[in-house]
Structure formats: structure tokens, C-alpha cells
Amino acid sequence: MELASRRAASLLAVAALAAVFLAGRASAVGKTGQVTVFWGRNKDEGTLREACDSGLYTMVIMSFLNVYGHGKYNLDLSGHPIARIGDDIKHCQFIGVPVSLSIGGFGNGYSLPSNRSALELFDYLWNAYFGGSKAGVYRPFGDAWLDGVDLFLEHGTAADRYDVLALELAKHNIRGAPGKPLHLTATPRCTFPPSSYLGRAVETGIFERIHIRIYDDDNCEAYWHLAWDKWTAAYPATRFYVGMTASEMTHGWVHPKNVYYDVAPSTQKADNYGGFMIWDRYYDKLSNYTSMVKAYA
């Protein structure tokens, strides 16, 4: 009975959110200037504050919460000192750069094999990183309140209930002022349709944005344009960001010249184009990739 009532309340929240997104969605044909970067994968990338102060990014996603689903949780930020990050988050938010947390990643320590595990993950996220204050839940960033959750899922099964997690997040999406949503995003590979565990979540219709990775995938190099068109057509109420790597050594790296002549004009044909996503701050700092392509976003 409790689960049914949760589900009903979640569906009402979904309907309300979908209406807001659809009603407020304007055509995004052409440039938006939006660039999101992933931070937290290498200690030598510099601080979160430095990333925000660079002026290159309009959003930063910390990665990753890479263990969850079985009563244990682990935040892996590659050796960055946790003690100072809370103040950095507040600084980024003060200058207008929202900061989200990505869950999942490249390891094998995560899954959501049941509704209960999904609700437990929500409870942990809400109390450790957002507006909750549950006794016994450690807040690594103190009273800093993050701006969103990103799903970066490299593996899963049909049993995983990321849809339940998304629905629960949708019910608690208000931060500060009425109608201000928590940024719910996903960062999948470009293959369409998505895997069942992600597809079921995206089908809820409440994801604000999806970052389509067109790198590090042998298949994507040949057909990412077609996949992009399918993604953007399937979810017209969601903003889509084209995900590119800043490392020339990574398969699928796009030369800045080809961003200008191909990637930007191809993706910006979609009414729900959102901007660029860059992987990641460490490689970007070495290559200055965003500095070369930001004008095309």
C-alpha cells in the first residue's frame, strides 16, 4: 500500500513536471553557449572552484558516487580533499555555476535491483547531498546543497529500478523557490534505443537533459548523427547535449575544426539541442579544448 501511494504521488509529480517542461520549452535551434564538464576524475585537474572560475563552463558534474544499491555507499573523487569542496560548491553556485553529482561510473560496485534499493538510494542522496538532515547520515560537503543528480551507467540489468529513483527525486525537486527543479540528467553512450534499465528511467519524461556521448565507442563514430536524431525525436521535452572528449588520445575525439563544420551545425538542428558536454576537466585543462570549441556551443 505504501509503495502504491508513493508511486501514485510520483506519477502526479511527473505529470506536473512534464507540463512545466513542455510549456516552458523554447526552440533551441542554434547556439546556446551551454557547456557542462565532468570534474573529479583526476586530482591534478585542480579544484572545483578553479573549474568554476575558469569561465568555461555553465555547469559542473562531480563524478562519481560509484558504490550503492546494497546498503553501502562510496564517493570517489580521485583523492581531492573533501574538506574544502563544500565551500567550493557554494562559491560555484554563487557565481551561477550549478554543481551536480553523477552516480555510477566505470566500476562494478553499483546496482539498483529492487524498488526498495532505489528508495534507499534516494534517501541517502537526499540526506547526504541535498535538503535532508537525517541523523546518522554523513554529509561529506557539510551544509552545501547540490543542484542535481546525473546517471552515468556503464552497466546494469533489466531489474534495475532507476525509474523509481528518478520518480522519487522528482517529488523533491524544489530548491529555494517554487518551481525551481533539481537538475536530473543522464549521460549515456550514443546507442539508441538505450539499455532497458536506463530507458525505463528516461521514459518517465522527467529528465531535464541528456548528454549523448559520441566518443569512446567504436560504433558511434559511424552513426552518431543518426542516433542523435533518434534520441532528440524520442524525447522532445528533454534538452540534449552532445558529449565530446577533450583528450586527443581517446577514440572518437573530434577536432575543433570538425566541431565547427559538423558537430555543432548537425546537433543544433534539433529544437531541443542544449549545448556541449566535455569529458573531462583534467583533459580539458591539458588541451584547452573547451576554449577552442565553446564559441560553437
Side-chain angles (χ1 to χ4, degrees):
M1 181 69 69
E2 181 181 356
L3 180 59
S5 62
R6 279 177 177 266
R7 183 77 176 183
S10 296
L11 290 173
L12 288 174
V14 170
L17 278 173
V20 169
F21 289 154
L22 285 168
R25 179 176 155 254
S27 175
V29 175
K31 300 176 184 179
T32 65
Q34 298 295 302
V35 179
T36 290
V37 71
F38 274 78
W39 176 91
R41 300 317 313 138
N42 193 304
K43 189 176 180 180
D44 293 332
E45 68 197 332
T47 67
L48 177 63
R49 179 184 293 249
E50 290 169 350
C52 294
D53 283 344
S54 70
L56 295 170
Y57 316 116
T58 54
M59 186 175 194
V60 177
I61 300 179
M62 298 192 298
S63 55
F64 292 108
L65 182 76
N66 66 349
V67 174
Y68 57 80
H70 302 88
K72 296 182 179 180
Y73 305 95
N74 181 66
L75 177 66
D76 177 14
L77 295 180
S78 306
H80 282 286
I82 297 295
R84 65 184 299 175
I85 294 179
D87 287 340
D88 285 1
I89 292 169
K90 293 178 183 179
H91 172 76
C92 292
Q93 293 168 335
F94 179 75
I95 64 173
V97 181
V99 181
S100 286
L101 175 65
S102 189
I103 69 172
F106 302 103
N108 296 313
Y110 60 88
S111 65
L112 284 184
S114 66
N115 289 356
R116 179 177 177 180
S117 64
L119 294 173
E120 287 175 348
L121 176 57
F122 162 77
D123 187 69
Y124 170 76
L125 288 170
W126 185 251
N127 288 287
Y129 299 102
F130 294 96
S133 57
K134 188 174 183 179
V137 178
Y138 172 61
R139 293 184 64 90
F141 309 135
D143 62 355
W145 185 339
L146 292 178
D147 294 290
V149 174
D150 177 74
L151 306 186
F152 193 109
L153 308 175
E154 284 291 274
H155 65 80
T157 71
D160 283 330
R161 299 312 305 264
Y162 290 97
D163 57 324
V164 175
L165 173 64
L167 290 166
E168 199 67 15
L169 286 167
K171 289 162 54 179
H172 297 74
N173 73 331
I174 305 303
R175 182 187 189 280
K180 180 175 181 179
L182 177 153
H183 298 285
L184 184 58
T185 66
T187 307
R189 293 179 180 271
C190 77
T191 302
F192 189 90
S195 54
S196 60
Y197 51 90
L198 177 61
R200 186 160 50 189
V202 174
E203 287 292 339
T204 61
I206 58 176
F207 279 74
E208 176 188 328
R209 28 195 280 196
I210 295 177
H211 316 115
I212 301 297
R213 288 183 277 161
I214 66 170
Y215 61 90
D216 200 24
D217 188 322
D218 291 339
N219 294 322
C220 269
E221 187 172 355
Y223 71 78
W224 75 260
H225 298 78
L226 178 60
W228 173 269
D229 290 345
K230 290 180 178 180
W231 275 102
T232 55
Y235 306 105
T238 298
R239 295 290 188 190
F240 282 85
Y241 285 56
V242 57
M244 297 178 287
T245 177
S247 171
E248 190 173 351
M249 303 302 293
T250 301
H251 182 79
W253 177 79
V254 181
H255 192 286
K257 179 179 66 176
N258 292 331
V259 175
Y260 174 77
Y261 284 109
D262 181 19
V263 174
S266 296
T267 56
Q268 289 166 9
K269 292 176 183 177
D271 287 345
N272 49 348
Y273 164 80
F276 292 171
M277 183 280 285
I278 303 297
W279 180 272
D280 60 0
R281 170 61 178 165
Y282 172 70
Y283 291 116
D284 201 26
K285 193 173 181 180
L286 293 177
S287 67
N288 294 314
Y289 189 74
T290 295
S291 296
M292 293 184 278
V293 302
K294 181 178 175 64
Y296 313 142

